[in-house]
Amino acid sequence: MKKIVVAAIVVLLVMGAGVTIDKIVKNSKIIRVQVKAEKDRTRYIGEDGISFYSMVDTRDKIYTLVDTEGDTDAYRIAKEVYAIDKKTGEMEIVPGSSKMKFGMDGIESTFGNEVYLGWVEADADYATRTVIYDIEQGKIMKKWKGSDAHSFFDFHVMGHRVYWLESSGKTGLVMSYDLKTAEEEQLDEVGAEGTVLAFSEHKMWYRDIRRGSGHLKRYDLRSGNYEIYDLGVDYSDLKPVGDNLVAYSKGNGLYLYDTKLQKSVLLNGADNGIKANYDGKGLIVTEQMSYKIERLDGIRHSNTIESEYPDNHRFSTAERIQSLLFIANVGEHEEIIWMNQDALQWSGK
């Protein structure tokens, strides 16, 4: 009888040890990318079959979603957010981001800045939850849960404040939340459809379709004042390049509008920039060309990225970017490329 009891205890201890080991393995570094630092860029080389998407660049780490299943391209739902150490290439799961291992629920996108990381969780029934995580404190700060009747979308973090769009029926609201004071504020009421937020350093840009397809709003993030402009044309996809300059798409072309002069010029008639990225400080990168813009008559061009990575490079967002961080397909694997802006060879004015 004593032997049976001892044997049972041993089994329990072994099982307990197994659970502990399993827990450690799950919470430890489970994937690693190879880091290759070159003259004007750093390459983070992934294993065969791994796909990266929706990245946030910070000083020490790259936060990204990873497709390791090989069959999720259709719906792009990751099961956790990974943090890549820029120096070592080691990857860790961001605490609190792991979702159910099986099923269609998971994480569809990320956003953020140096201080806060955000991600959007989605279920099979299309219900979403948006999460804000404090990088330095290592904890979740805030969650928004959407439903069929009331949805939250298009989240952005600027400094310590979160901005997003909220809709219920035909009504849309531009909202903000201060992560330090927990103060929530309604900034504007807009049409529920066709509105997308875009940001330069001190301004928020968006369109309210209720005022007409050509109208543009510019909200000052510091003073809380906003101005309205009429571009006179039906446009889409705002890409701010400064607090007084914004690019937009119309037809097959990319245009640039100056709020001081209240004038538009054609930037490129064969590049509509729909999938363009921008830094809000003068740089726009499209699938065809990179633009460095100082004013309406001060525009330079570069095709460095497009020529070096033809037809196989993609930024993880069509919105505001912190750096030249993009993904390239190289044979059987993918690489995350961090490129110094000095590598872009500019021509033009």
Side-chain angles (χ1 to χ4, degrees):
M1 184 66 180
K2 288 183 179 179
K3 289 182 180 180
I4 295 174
V5 171
V6 171
I9 292 172
V10 170
V11 170
L12 289 172
L13 288 172
V14 170
M15 289 176 64
V19 170
T20 303
I21 291 170
D22 182 59
K23 193 176 294 183
I24 291 172
V25 168
K26 286 183 179 179
N27 292 324
S28 65
K29 305 172 182 66
I30 60 174
I31 304 177
R32 184 183 180 121
V33 298
Q34 183 182 358
V35 183
K36 285 193 174 182
E38 300 179 357
K39 180 181 177 181
D40 54 16
R41 71 201 68 186
T42 303
R43 298 162 55 203
Y44 299 91
I45 304 169
E47 300 173 4
D48 290 355
I50 290 179
S51 179
F52 304 100
Y53 61 105
S54 195
M55 303 180 296
V56 174
D57 189 19
T58 67
R59 182 185 60 192
D60 300 317
K61 295 182 179 181
I62 298 169
Y63 295 91
T64 183
L65 301 181
V66 179
D67 173 7
T68 59
E69 301 299 324
D71 60 354
T72 60
D73 287 341
Y75 54 90
R76 283 295 197 194
I77 294 293
K79 298 302 180 184
E80 52 269 313
V81 181
Y82 284 93
I84 302 176
D85 187 290
K86 283 188 170 182
K87 291 184 179 179
T88 66
E90 293 179 342
M91 298 178 66
E92 291 183 329
I93 296 173
V94 174
S97 71
S98 294
K99 306 315 300 173
M100 198 167 122
K101 186 175 181 181
F102 303 102
M104 295 286 288
D105 64 324
I107 303 169
E108 64 177 26
S109 61
T110 64
F111 59 94
N113 57 16
E114 286 282 348
V115 183
Y116 302 103
L117 173 69
W119 64 82
V120 179
E121 303 171 354
D123 293 339
D125 59 0
Y126 303 107
T128 62
R129 289 168 302 281
T130 301
V131 181
I132 303 293
Y133 173 85
D134 188 303
I135 294 173
E136 183 176 348
Q137 296 186 55
K139 68 177 184 179
I140 291 174
M141 299 291 292
K142 178 71 175 176
K143 291 184 179 181
W144 289 267
K145 185 176 181 179
S147 65
D148 291 339
H150 196 85
S151 61
F152 304 87
F153 56 99
D154 198 23
F155 280 81
H156 304 262
V157 180
M158 297 292 292
H160 295 280
R161 189 171 282 270
V162 184
Y163 298 87
W164 73 93
L165 291 169
E166 197 170 308
S167 71
S168 178
K170 295 182 179 181
T171 302
L173 301 175
V174 181
M175 303 292 296
S176 74
Y177 179 87
D178 192 307
L179 290 160
K180 285 189 171 182
T181 65
E183 174 194 9
E184 184 170 309
E185 183 180 4
Q186 178 183 323
L187 305 179
D188 199 2
E189 184 174 319
V190 297
E193 298 181 358
T195 301
V196 178
L197 305 179
F199 293 82
S200 53
E201 188 173 7
H202 300 117
K203 308 284 184 177
M204 176 170 63
W205 309 71
Y206 56 101
R207 180 177 63 165
D208 184 355
I209 60 173
R210 299 179 308 171
R211 291 181 172 270
S213 58
H215 281 76
L216 166 68
K217 283 188 176 181
R218 185 181 66 168
Y219 176 87
D220 193 302
L221 302 178
R222 298 162 298 181
S223 68
N225 297 324
Y226 67 84
E227 299 167 323
I228 301 173
Y229 303 92
D230 187 359
L231 274 60
V233 295
D234 187 7
Y235 69 91
S236 61
D237 300 290
L238 293 170
K239 309 293 178 184
V241 292
D243 285 341
N244 296 299
L245 286 171
V246 62
Y248 62 89
S249 303
K250 182 177 76 74
N252 294 320
L254 188 63
Y255 293 77
L256 186 63
Y257 180 78
D258 188 316
T259 59
K260 288 184 176 180
L261 301 176
Q262 297 191 26
K263 175 184 176 182
S264 292
V265 298
L266 178 63
L267 196 59
N268 191 325
D271 184 359
N272 61 21
I274 287 179
K275 294 184 179 180
N277 305 269
Y278 65 96
D279 67 354
K281 297 179 290 187
L283 180 68
I284 295 180
V285 182
T286 76
E287 290 186 320
Q288 301 180 34
M289 187 74 66
S290 298
Y291 306 88
K292 193 170 186 178
I293 304 167
E294 296 178 0
R295 54 189 184 277
L296 290 186
D297 60 349
I299 302 168
R300 292 191 286 171
H301 307 82
S302 171
N303 66 348
T304 304
I305 297 175
E306 295 73 22
S307 62
E308 294 187 9
Y309 301 95
D311 302 323
N312 68 353
H313 74 278
R314 67 182 187 277
F315 282 78
S316 64
T317 176
E319 298 178 355
R320 195 170 188 265
I321 54 175
Q322 290 103 318
S323 63
L324 291 180
L325 186 75
F326 56 91
I327 301 158
N329 296 315
V330 183
E332 297 297 321
H333 69 273
E334 288 190 349
E335 299 181 6
I336 297 175
I337 310 293
W338 183 93
M339 182 180 286
N340 192 311
Q341 286 198 26
D342 294 338
L344 300 182
Q345 301 175 19
W346 299 105
S347 61
K349 298 180 180 178

